[in-house]
Amino acid sequence: MLTATDIAFSIDPVYRMELLTGSGWSARHWDLGVWEEAGGRGFFKSAKWSGADEITVFAEKETTVFTVDPVSGRPGEPRAGAR
């Protein structure tokens, strides 16, 4: 499961992206990062599963892609590119 949580303490949104793999006591939470205007990526727009083992996060200025290991569920290093 892919989650985007607004963790801002102000009116400007700050989103933490997290990947949850497994369930119950063996569930793993993988932190994908934080998207905010101050981070240079621009405001978070959306995130989706863009393939069987791939997550794409869209922001105003940047698109970030994570490849997820199909066995462990661990996300790989992000690949970012300008929009």
Side-chain angles (χ1 to χ4, degrees):
M1 176 175 14
L2 183 61
T3 62
T5 306
D6 186 355
I7 58 171
F9 294 105
S10 68
I11 59 171
D12 293 328
V14 177
Y15 286 95
R16 175 177 306 281
M17 298 299 304
E18 189 176 56
L19 173 64
L20 174 65
T21 59
S23 63
W25 63 269
S26 64
R28 301 288 308 260
H29 294 260
W30 304 101
D31 184 28
L32 299 179
V34 174
W35 275 256
E36 62 181 313
E37 178 62 28
R41 297 174 170 163
F43 288 113
F44 169 80
K45 294 291 185 183
S46 66
K48 68 176 185 173
W49 285 94
S50 50
D53 300 317
E54 188 173 87
I55 296 169
T56 302
V57 181
F58 300 95
E60 268 183 325
K61 301 175 185 174
E62 184 178 271
T63 299
T64 306
V65 178
F66 297 87
T67 300
V68 179
D69 183 282
V71 176
S72 70
R74 177 187 297 264
E77 290 297 314
R79 299 183 317 271
R83 281 195 77 161

